[in-house]
Amino acid sequence: MTDLAAKPPVRHLLGLSGGKDSSALAIYMRDRVPEMEYFFADTGAELPETLEFIDLLQDYLGKPIVRLNSARSFDYYLKFHKNYLPSPKQRWCTFNLKLLPFEEFVGNDKVISYVAIRADEPDRAGYISSKRNIRTRFPFKEDGLTKDDIQDILESAGLGMPRYYEWRSRSGCYFCFFQRREEWAGLKQYHPDLYERAKAYEKADEETGKVYTWNQSGTLDELVERAEKAEPVSLKNKPSRKLIDRFGNSEDDEDHGCILCSL
Ligand code: SF4
C-alpha cells in the first residue's frame, strides 16, 4: 500500500561552473553526501578547457554531471534584446542560460543547493533562490575552508587547476564581458577562432549605426592592443597560481565576475 504520508525525498544539488571552487566542493562533498546530484549549466559558449575539466571531474566523481542546456541559444536571446550585448548591469545571459535551466531542473522538488563560497569570502553572497523549496548551504564557510584549502583539494584529487587559469582568472563564456583586457589578449592568443567569434558580435546596428562592444572602453581589438602595449608579456608559461594572485582579490569582486558562472 502506498504510504500517503511519506514525504518526498530532499534532493541534494551541486552546480559546477568549471571554476576551481565549485569543482573543489564537488570533490569535498563526494563522500559526505553520496546522493548528491551534480549539474553544469552549459551556455553553449563555454571554453574548451572548461568542458575538458568537467569531463575529468565527472570521472573523478564516478557519476554523471548532468548538463543543463537552455532551450534557446545565446543568439536567440541576443536578438530578443535587440542586439544589446549583455553587460555587468544587464546580465540577461546569466538569467536565461544559467538560472532558468537550474530552476527548471529543480521544479517544485525540495532541494538543498550546495554553494562553494569560502570562509575567506565574508562579503561574497551566493545565489540564493527566491523559491521556497530551495535551501542553500555553504559547506566551505561552515567548515572554515579558505583558498589554500581549495587548491589542496584539487591537487590531492589529482586534478589540479583547470587549464584556462594559465590565461584567465575564471570560468564562463569565451566572450564573457567580465574579462579584463589581459584576458581578452589571452583569448586571442589561446583561442584565436573564439576571439574572432567574440569580435563578430561587435557590430554596428544597420539602422541606427550604433556600435555594440563587449566593453565600454573600446572594441576588443582596441583592448587587446592596449593590453599588449601596457604589458608585452605573454601569459603563456606563467604558473597558474601566479595568474590568480595577479588578479588578486578582484576575482572575488562581485562587480567583476558572475558567481553563477564562475564560482
Ligand atoms: S559567463 Fe559571462 S557572458 Fe556567460 S552567462 Fe555568465 S555573465 Fe554571461
Side-chain angles (χ1 to χ4, degrees):
M1 203 170 100
T2 309
D3 180 4
L4 294 175
K7 288 186 183 169
V10 174
R11 293 171 67 192
H12 297 261
L13 302 187
L14 198 160
L16 294 153
S17 67
K20 67 182 189 326
D21 292 342
S22 61
S23 302
L25 184 61
I27 294 164
Y28 187 69
M29 299 305 292
R30 184 186 70 169
D31 300 327
R32 289 174 170 81
V33 182
E35 65 271 39
M36 188 76 82
E37 296 174 55
Y38 302 95
F39 68 91
F40 170 62
D42 184 344
T43 62
E46 306 290 341
L47 291 166
E49 295 96 321
T50 301
L51 300 175
E52 172 194 76
F53 196 75
I54 291 287
D55 284 345
L56 289 173
L57 190 57
Q58 178 169 269
D59 288 345
Y60 179 86
L61 296 171
K63 61 159 69 173
I65 295 173
V66 177
R67 270 64 165 179
L68 305 182
N69 296 103
S70 166
R72 296 196 167 96
S73 67
F74 176 85
D75 288 355
Y76 170 88
Y77 288 112
L78 181 61
K79 205 168 172 190
F80 181 79
H81 287 272
K82 302 191 186 325
N83 287 328
Y84 276 95
L85 292 170
S87 67
K89 288 192 168 45
Q90 297 289 333
R91 296 188 206 175
W92 52 257
C93 48
T94 313
F95 179 78
N96 289 299
L97 301 174
K98 294 272 181 184
L99 192 50
L100 281 186
F102 168 65
E103 296 204 335
E104 277 167 22
F105 182 54
V106 167
N108 294 319
D109 297 344
K110 278 201 185 317
V111 155
I112 299 178
S113 170
Y114 294 82
V115 178
I117 293 181
R118 307 185 309 257
D120 55 346
E121 301 177 298
D123 301 327
R124 199 174 191 192
Y127 159 68
I128 297 176
S129 175
S130 55
K131 293 184 76 168
R132 293 179 61 190
N133 53 321
I134 302 177
R135 190 156 70 84
T136 308
R137 285 196 60 182
F138 304 95
F140 286 158
K141 269 191 158 177
E142 291 165 22
D143 296 348
L145 272 67
T146 61
K147 196 171 188 173
D148 285 343
D149 297 311
I150 272 51
Q151 187 110 16
D152 290 345
I153 289 170
L154 290 169
E155 281 169 11
S156 303
L159 292 174
M161 300 289 272
R163 282 194 302 122
Y164 59 75
Y165 278 117
E166 290 171 22
W167 59 274
R168 184 168 152 153
S169 64
R170 60 179 69 84
S171 56
C173 302
Y174 68 85
F175 49 54
C176 185
F177 45 83
F178 282 116
Q179 288 176 96
R180 292 162 183 76
R181 60 189 188 188
E182 293 87 351
E183 295 174 288
W184 285 114
L187 181 68
K188 185 178 179 187
Q189 180 183 343
Y190 283 78
H191 297 292
D193 53 331
L194 296 181
Y195 178 76
E196 290 303 319
R197 279 164 66 180
K199 257 175 59 176
Y201 282 107
E202 294 191 314
K203 52 189 172 218
D205 186 299
E206 285 175 10
E207 285 176 23
T208 64
K210 178 175 168 50
V211 178
Y212 298 101
T213 56
W214 288 106
N215 189 298
Q216 285 193 336
S217 56
T219 65
L220 291 190
D221 277 346
E222 288 166 349
L223 291 180
V224 169
E225 194 184 332
R226 273 180 239 150
E228 287 167 353
K229 275 187 187 153
E231 191 174 356
V233 172
S234 163
L235 295 179
K236 204 174 175 179
N237 302 329
K238 283 203 168 250
S240 52
R241 191 157 191 158
K242 280 272 181 285
L243 184 61
I244 291 169
D245 291 344
R246 173 190 147 116
F247 287 108
N249 291 332
S250 57
E251 73 162 322
D252 302 330
D253 181 345
E254 260 206 86
D255 291 339
H256 292 88
C258 170
I259 201 158
L260 271 173
C261 306
S262 60
L263 194 65

